[in-house]
Amino acid sequence: MAIIAATYFSIIDIILSFLFVFFIWHEAKLAKKRLKGFRSLIAVTIWQMPGLIMSLLIITNLTDLFGFGEFIIFLLQFWHMPILPLLSILPAVAIFDKPLYYYGMLGSSLFIIGVFIIGLMKK
């Protein structure tokens, strides 16, 4: 909610996005004590699975078959709300007739999983 409110100020939303990423990393540090081994990786993958599935549906044009592409895009934007300001930095180019933004949505879920994995690593 803070990121939505901060979109009217140019840099605050990006700062809050980085703060969200920091919280994900910090949560992984705490999860390392509670969830042992492979369970942490399973937990973060299940957590990001809706974003991964919806992104793949859009990129592979499967949403066009069923006619609910706009709905999935809306859900993805809502799903990635904390990271969305970082995606606004991407250039407005298309790859395979899809905006780079859509690939950024897929990358956002993978990025969050990666940040969580980095947080799980031992020092």
Side-chain angles (χ1 to χ4, degrees):
M1 201 58 151
I3 292 176
I4 294 170
T7 56
Y8 295 105
F9 305 102
S10 61
I11 194 73
I12 295 175
D13 56 348
I14 293 176
I15 292 170
L16 288 174
S17 290
F18 281 117
L19 188 61
F20 175 77
V21 171
F22 171 77
F23 285 141
I24 298 298
W25 174 80
H26 189 264
E27 179 61 29
K29 293 292 226 186
L30 297 175
K32 183 171 38 174
K33 297 173 186 172
R34 292 175 290 187
L35 298 173
K36 300 295 180 200
F38 202 62
R39 288 184 180 191
S40 298
L41 184 58
I42 291 172
V44 73
T45 303
I46 290 172
W47 170 39
Q48 287 302 311
M49 194 59 67
L52 291 169
I53 290 171
M54 288 186 289
S55 296
L56 289 172
L57 284 174
I58 287 177
I59 291 171
T60 60
N61 291 326
L62 288 177
T63 55
D64 296 341
L65 292 175
F66 304 111
F68 55 86
E70 293 83 18
F71 181 67
I72 295 291
I73 292 169
F74 169 76
L75 287 176
L76 262 175
Q77 289 173 344
F78 190 72
W79 183 261
H80 290 299
M81 184 63 67
I83 303 290
L84 220 50
L86 299 177
L87 293 178
S88 68
I89 298 171
L90 294 174
V93 297
I95 300 173
F96 301 117
D97 294 331
K98 296 290 180 185
L100 182 60
Y101 179 76
Y102 292 174
Y103 296 97
M105 296 257 197
L106 176 63
S108 293
S109 291
L110 297 173
F111 175 71
I112 290 172
I113 291 172
V115 167
F116 199 85
I117 289 171
I118 289 171
L120 290 173
M121 292 181 178
K122 297 183 187 258
K123 286 187 172 185

